Amino acid sequence: MQYDVEAVRAQFPALAEGIAHFDGPGGTQVPDAVTDAVAGAMRSAVSNRHGDFTSSARADAIVDAARAAAADLVGADPRGVLFGQSMTANTYGLSRALAKTWRPGDRVVVSRLDHDGNVRPWVQAAESVGAEVVWADIEPDTCELPVEQYDDLLTDRTRLVAVTAASNAVGTRPDVRAIADRAHAVGALVHVDGVHATPHGPVDMVELGADFYACSAYKWYGPHLGLTAADPALLATLRPDKLLPSTDDVPDRFELGTPAFAQLAGVTAAVEWIAGHGKGATRRERVLHGAAQIETQEAWVFDRLLGGLAARDDVHLVGAPSRRTPTVAFTVDGRSPQEIAKRLGDRGIAVWAGNYYAVELMRRLGLEDRGGAVRAGVVCYTTDDEVDRLLEAL
Ligand SMILES: Cc1ncc(COP(=O)(O)O)c(C=O)c1O
C-alpha cells in the first residue's frame, strides 16, 4: 500500500522550491516538526547541563530525550547512545579509543563496499599501533559483499570488523548478521555503518549483531548530528581522550564539549516523525512500523526509477545487488557523470556525481579515474512524477 506522498511532502517546506531531490543519500530535507523542535529549543531558556536551575534541567532533559529517541530508532539501550558532530567525527573518536586496546599484530577488517567514514578511521587507527588491516572485497558485477570471504580474513587476532549495513553508492545491503556472527566467533567487535541503511527501513542493531551502530540524523529528516549506539557496558571498557574536568560517565565521556542542544531536540522530533507513520503501543513499535511503511513506499517509486534506467541502452547500472536500498549509481554513454549531474542540476534535478566518499568501491570498479558514477536515491518524499522528470531529462 502506497501512502499519500503529497501529504508527506506538504510537511517539508523546502520541497516547495521545486527541486527534485534525488540527493537523499547525501542528506534529506527536513519536515516542519523538526524545524519547530530546533527553533523551540532555541527560543526557550536552555543553559548548560547539570546546573541547579530550570533552564539547565531543560538541557539535561533534551539530551536524555534524544538518547531515548535514538535508542528507539535503532533498537539500542539509551544509556549507550553517544552524540557527536557527525558519523565521521564519532567514528574517529571511537577508533582512537579502541586502538588503545590493540597491539602490534592485531587485525582489523574493513570492506571495499564501505563509505570512507567506516574505513579510514580504522585504517589510520590500526596504523598508529602497528595493527594489520585486511580488506573484504566486493563481487564487481553485482557489488555484493560475499560473506564466505570473512572465513579467510578473520583470525583470533582480529579485534574489529567494520562493515556497512548498506552502501551509500549502490545500495547493497550485505548480510551483516552473517558477518557479525563470524566476527564474534573469533572474539572481534563489529562496527556497523548504518548511515545509509537507517532511513530506508526498520533497524535492530542487536539483530544485526552490531556492537557499535553509527548513523547520522541528517539522512533521516533530522539535523546535522551523528550518533553511535553500543552496549553501555562495552563503552565503559573504553578510555577515549577527553578533558580532565569533563565527566567520566558513559556515554558522556565520548562527547567532547557542550552538546548541540537545539539539534538534539531536532533528533527527537525526527524519530517522532518517523514513528508518526506507524502504529503500535510503544514508540519503538511505531518506529519499526513507520520505517517499514516508508520502506514500502520507497520501493514502489524506486522500481519505476530502476526500470526506467535499465530500459535504456545508453545507461549502465553499477552493480545489481539482490538486497538493496532505493539508491542506484549509473553511467551514461558519451557523457561524464559530472556533465550529467550539471545538466540535471540546471533542470532542477539534484543528483550527485563522483564517488560520494565510497572511494574504495569506485577504485575497485575502475570508475574512480573516470569520474565515478551518477547517483540517484529515493526517499520518503520522492514521487513517480519526479522519477519521470529525471528519466525525461536524461
Ligand atoms: C554510508 C555513509 N557512511 C558515513 C557517512 C558519513 O556521515 P557523516 O557525514 O555524518 O560523517 C555517510 C555520509 O554520506 C554515508 O553515506
Side-chain angles (χ1 to χ4, degrees), residues 68-122:
D72 278 347
L73 183 67
V74 303
D77 182 332
R79 296 167 303 170
V81 174
L82 63 94
F83 290 102
Q85 179 200 329
S86 61
M87 177 277 183
T88 303
N90 293 345
T91 307
Y92 262 113
L94 189 62
S95 69
R96 286 192 285 259
L98 277 163
K100 291 183 190 182
T101 70
W102 300 344
R103 297 287 163 265
D106 281 347
R107 182 176 271 204
V108 168
V109 184
V110 292
S111 101
R112 294 197 196 283
L113 186 65
D114 272 81
H115 181 286
D116 217 45
N118 201 30
V119 174
R120 219 53 54 188
W122 305 114

Side-chain angles (χ1 to χ4, degrees), residues 96-392:
R96 286 192 285 259
L98 277 163
K100 291 183 190 182
T101 70
W102 300 344
R103 297 287 163 265
D106 281 347
R107 182 176 271 204
V108 168
V109 184
V110 292
S111 101
R112 294 197 196 283
L113 186 65
D114 272 81
H115 181 286
D116 217 45
N118 201 30
V119 174
R120 219 53 54 188
W122 305 114
V123 169
Q124 291 165 1
E127 280 169 3
S128 73
V129 296
E132 181 191 14
V133 176
V134 295
W135 293 82
D137 205 0
I138 55 145
E139 203 290 300
D141 289 337
T142 57
C143 290
E144 301 270 8
L145 184 67
V147 166
E148 298 69 33
Q149 65 184 315
Y150 283 84
D151 293 334
D152 299 326
L153 298 175
L154 293 163
T155 66
D156 59 5
R157 293 296 303 272
T158 307
R159 306 302 304 279
L160 184 101
V161 173
V163 66
T164 191
S167 157
N168 67 310
V170 294
T172 311
R173 284 182 178 276
D175 189 346
V176 173
R177 179 54 192 253
I179 294 167
D181 285 347
R182 284 167 166 79
H184 290 148
V186 299
L189 293 169
V190 178
H191 184 273
V192 175
D193 178 352
V195 173
H196 183 62
T198 307
H200 297 301
V203 176
D204 188 326
M205 66 172 281
V206 176
E207 223 168 71
L208 278 177
D211 297 294
F212 303 98
Y213 187 89
C215 64
S216 278
Y218 73 97
K219 309 285 191 181
W220 32 268
Y221 319 109
H224 287 86
L225 267 192
L227 68 94
T228 299
D231 183 338
L234 171 60
L235 293 179
T237 65
L238 300 175
R239 315 296 316 173
D241 289 336
K242 57 174 277 300
L243 302 184
L244 195 60
S246 70
T247 177
D248 256 336
D249 290 351
V250 166
D252 312 54
R253 74 162 77 138
F254 291 86
E255 299 172 328
L256 301 179
T258 308
F261 299 120
Q263 308 282 84
L264 287 171
V267 166
T268 305
V271 174
E272 294 280 0
W273 189 81
I274 293 169
H277 290 271
K279 294 192 174 67
T282 64
R283 181 172 59 193
R284 172 70 179 149
E285 286 171 12
R286 290 194 296 279
V287 163
L288 288 173
H289 185 227
Q293 299 281 102
I294 291 172
E295 184 177 27
T296 305
Q297 165 73 19
E298 290 176 348
W300 279 94
V301 181
F302 185 64
D303 265 3
R304 190 180 186 96
L305 173 62
L306 202 58
L309 292 172
R312 291 184 52 148
D313 291 338
D314 56 347
V315 170
H316 306 283
L317 304 182
V318 180
S322 54
R323 288 179 63 239
R324 71 187 306 167
T325 60
T327 295
V328 60
F330 58 92
T331 57
V332 181
D333 285 340
R335 302 276 181 203
S336 73
Q338 287 66 27
E339 225 176 326
I340 298 286
K342 170 81 177 76
R343 295 210 180 184
L344 290 175
D346 290 346
R347 288 162 176 74
I349 299 167
V351 295
W352 282 107
N355 61 34
Y356 357 100
Y357 283 28
V359 60
E360 297 294 346
L361 178 72
M362 289 299 169
R363 283 181 182 161
R364 178 67 179 86
L365 294 170
L367 291 172
E368 182 61 12
D369 296 335
R370 292 193 271 143
V374 182
R375 179 185 65 183
V378 165
V379 294
C380 77
Y381 47 68
T382 312
T383 64
D384 288 347
D385 285 350
E386 287 179 319
V387 167
D388 294 346
R389 246 174 93 186
L390 169 59
L391 293 171
E392 274 160 33

